[in-house]
Amino acid sequence: MTRLVIENGVFVTGDAVRPVVKGYMAVEGDRITELEEGAYPGQPGESNVQRLDARGKLFMPGWVNTHGHAAMAYLRGYGDDLALQVWLSEKMWPNEAKFTAEDVRCGTLLSIVEMMKGGTTTFVDMYDHMDEVAKAVEESGIRAVLARGVIGLCPPEEQDRKLQEAIRFAREWNGKADGRITTMMSPHAPYTCPPDYIERIVQAAHELDLPIHIHMSETIREVEENVAQYGLRPAAHLEKLGVFGRPCLIAHGVHLTDDEIDILCRYDVRISHNPGSNLKLASGVARVPDLLAAGLLVSLGTDSSASNNNLDMFEEARLAALIHKGVSGDPTAVPATVAFRMGTADGAKSLWLPDTGVLKAGMKADFIGLDNNRPHFYPRTDYVSHIIYSASAGDVTDVWVNGKQTVKNGECLTLDEEKIKAEFQRRYEGIIGR
Amino acid sequence: MTRLVIENGVFVTGDAVRPVVKGYMAVEGDRITELEEGAYPGQPGESNVQRLDARGKLFMPGWVNTHGHAAMAYLRGYGDDLALQVWLSEKMWPNEAKFTAEDVRCGTLLSIVEMMKGGTTTFVDMYDHMDEVAKAVEESGIRAVLARGVIGLCPPEEQDRKLQEAIRFAREWNGKADGRITTMMSPHAPYTCPPDYIERIVQAAHELDLPIHIHMSETIREVEENVAQYGLRPAAHLEKLGVFGRPCLIAHGVHLTDDEIDILCRYDVRISHNPGSNLKLASGVARVPDLLAAGLLVSLGTDSSASNNNLDMFEEARLAALIHKGVSGDPTAVPATVAFRMGTADGAKSLWLPDTGVLKAGMKADFIGLDNNRPHFYPRTDYVSHIIYSASAGDVTDVWVNGKQTVKNGECLTLDEEKIKAEFQRRYEGIIGR
């Protein structure tokens, strides 16, 4: 097996024991096998070693984006700054309804190029035509946790068909692409799925032994409607339906009471915090300092580029570190180290991928290299601070996922970026024109 | 005179009459002379024309950063996530006190490199050792509005010395560097300058016929102390001292009552909104939608990279567009077009530079080019939306200030970036070690 040794680098590990290592890292197969201070000593009689001089590069675990809908890239910039209902009913839904499987494939590929080049090595996708998404993941080399998002506001036969499709997809793709793909079951949200349908999806998740991913409490309005319709706020409602009896990741969780936080703690429910999307759609500011204080696992997601409008996880981590300070009045709220962890190690844990998200011998080799020589990385004070408060996706030069390099000097090695962009623009015009 | 013609570009003009032009722009000397749709027709017998094929590039006015302290780059990442008083008294002030004139020169150069490469063509600087800042501006080719920031908490002789220095600097440099430098008078803040000292600075500004730049109402605490000490909130206090009798730009303006907004309106006081710094230091969220509704001129500033921690104006514009939506619950608050204007045309107007900030025949040629071919600029929907919600400093490839190119293909033409970074790091170590 070829051994890759990255020498003379600065490694921001995410490991509390050794947060920064100035030295070398070795990778064999899909794993990190060594991460040590100082010069690489070499090994007696070593052959099959690829040595990479990484002077001026800063390495960190790849970002883990725990919530999104990659194919929605078609609707980036298509009707911003509108009231939420107008945006959804006039801009999003009518166009999404026109997406074909091929549109989803190409839209997902564009988002994967953007994410990988920007340093994301794992992403969550909840959408339709998921076989196409899975194939795009397989081809690109990225890691992903995928779920067919099921909306249950439809006749029983359609409900049945969607549920069977979600089950088939989850079963068929779990563990595929050298283990880079895992799957979840996804009732879209309490407000788009009748209770009995959610219960059926939970039952299927039990049978498949898979986690559940669901939108919850993104807006005040959906919380109020949940109370009006079911007499319960969303967390209690989902608890009652057994959703939290499965390992569960909720997206958003903006509007939560103390009682709801208690419920989430009781079941170790994971929360994907999507600050960019929550701000842009004016959904509000999640109670992240309270969620963290309660011991909940909070990670970061971009949501789709229709409501963000990019897939830059540096920006998401920066927003998480900034807004809770500004809104709470406490400059120590969500420090840089916490935002870093939310976007990397805690993201990985939130997706039940415990051997990714940290640079350490024995972990999966999912990591990224940044050009550490740009002016905004000076002076050499605090690397984590620079990553969170100063860097951005454009600083990423190299990406490895599962031990394989997917981006080199800013070029995507696994996908034909120019071809994808051209096809994407053609398809966009087709969708809007239809 | 050589005529530069940029062909086949997309020009986001900032001009309400023609917000986007797909065509060509001509520059002669320091001015834009033509900006037209379609292919460049050429001129009969033209010579001395430099034609630039700008396919795949998006042009816009350069960003105008209306508040900052460039030399503080040394303290980027040096003690983040601390309570404000601890950060100031233990991290900032003791180190700033050690800055020599040479430190300020080099620190300012590093920030200018960062700003220019990131698409800022005009910046405000309020600091000490301002001759060094002016020389750095002159050398670099950037445009700047400069003021010796004066803190008056010192003995009378020192007050006198500082005031004379501020006057000398303002007089000597105003209009220099081909007109790229203009100057202001800067009492640092109501809480760092006794009232009579502020009045003397105002008097000097009258005599020099220059505007005033001052920090105001950044934190709740300083507002409360102003009320306790002087019986007035800061806006009424500064009104009484005659500050607003001069053209005036205030930095921050986070904590303002309706009455204070009325005062600012009465005097057409300009406000530099610094969302990144205000969030990071937990100062709060300025009432930007209310300020705009009142008809005030609101622009954008990064503040220093010690409290930001970069000088990326795309990020500042994005924050301005995002946080006021999230905090107010109104997704139509501060739309992309408004954030764009705040960072460009309204910034220029705020600095009394009415012939910059917009791409239009007759305006100064301060503009930037972005690589419009990156995945986050797809699809070709709304260019202003992409600039505000999706782009970042790293997308800038080319910069012109006053008709001269200062950045080309991401390389700074006027300054030796590598030399500056190396010296900056050495000086940083010297400052911290002293």
Side-chain angles (χ1 to χ4, degrees), chain B residues 127-316:
Chain B
Y127 213 62
D128 196 358
H129 302 295
M130 290 304 294
D131 292 301
E132 299 303 323
V133 176
K135 283 185 248 169
V137 169
E138 189 166 42
E139 180 186 354
S140 67
I142 201 169
R143 191 183 301 284
V145 185
L146 305 178
R148 202 289 191 207
V150 174
I151 291 181
L153 303 173
C154 50
E157 319 77 70
E158 202 180 327
Q159 283 189 348
D160 290 348
R161 186 186 59 71
K162 284 179 174 177
L163 177 54
Q164 290 313 314
E165 186 188 311
I167 291 170
R168 198 261 315 144
F169 171 79
R171 181 180 288 135
E172 208 167 290
W173 283 96
N174 196 33
K176 288 286 156 61
D178 301 322
R180 284 187 285 108
I181 294 177
T182 51
T183 59
M184 303 186 287
M185 292 296 287
S186 269
H188 173 270
Y191 65 94
T192 54
C193 291
D196 65 322
Y197 193 47
I198 291 180
E199 287 175 322
R200 289 175 61 201
I201 301 171
V202 170
Q203 186 51 41
H206 277 298
E207 287 160 15
L208 292 159
D209 193 20
L210 288 176
I212 289 179
H213 183 37
I214 185 167
H215 294 101
M216 193 187 96
S217 304
E218 181 176 1
T219 67
I220 285 271
R221 181 173 156 170
E222 73 185 71
V223 172
E224 287 170 351
E225 287 178 355
N226 206 91
V227 172
Q229 201 166 359
Y230 303 117
L232 293 170
R233 291 179 65 95
H237 178 63
L238 293 186
E239 180 189 28
K240 190 176 153 200
L241 298 176
V243 171
F244 301 150
R246 291 299 315 157
C248 184
L249 170 69
I250 64 167
H252 303 299
V254 176
H255 302 281
L256 298 173
T257 61
D258 289 348
D259 286 346
E260 287 181 292
I261 293 175
D262 285 345
I263 294 173
L264 299 180
C265 282
R266 209 146 57 230
Y267 295 93
D268 189 22
V269 172
R270 287 90 203 271
I271 300 163
S272 177
H273 175 43
N274 294 193
S277 176
N278 295 159
L279 290 172
K280 182 150 186 289
L281 299 179
S283 305
V285 177
R287 295 174 57 189
V288 169
D290 296 332
L291 301 177
L292 292 171
L296 284 160
L297 202 52
V298 183
S299 58
L300 296 174
T302 54
D303 211 346
S304 86
S305 37
S307 64
N308 190 302
N309 286 352
N310 62 34
L311 305 175
D312 179 350
M313 285 287 288
F314 290 89
E315 188 182 316
E316 229 51 47

Side-chain angles (χ1 to χ4, degrees), chain B residues 339-419:
Chain B
F340 182 86
R341 199 180 66 210
M342 289 165 69
T344 55
D346 286 358
K349 284 187 205 159
S350 296
L351 302 176
W352 303 275
L353 299 171
D355 55 357
T356 66
V358 172
L359 300 188
K360 197 176 163 178
M363 301 293 278
K364 292 267 190 190
D366 288 15
F367 63 97
I368 63 178
L370 281 66
D371 178 356
N372 192 30
N373 197 32
R374 298 188 181 168
H376 55 276
F377 288 113
Y378 281 82
R380 307 315 199 182
T381 38
D382 180 332
Y383 292 107
V384 174
S385 165
H386 290 353
I387 289 168
I388 297 299
Y389 294 122
S390 198
S392 73
D395 296 324
V396 175
T397 57
D398 298 272
V399 177
W400 283 260
V401 186
N402 219 31
K404 293 212 174 84
Q405 188 159 17
T406 60
V407 174
K408 186 175 178 174
N409 296 329
E411 297 297 323
C412 190
L413 300 175
T414 51
L415 299 172
D416 185 338
E417 176 177 339
E418 293 309 315
K419 199 174 141 207

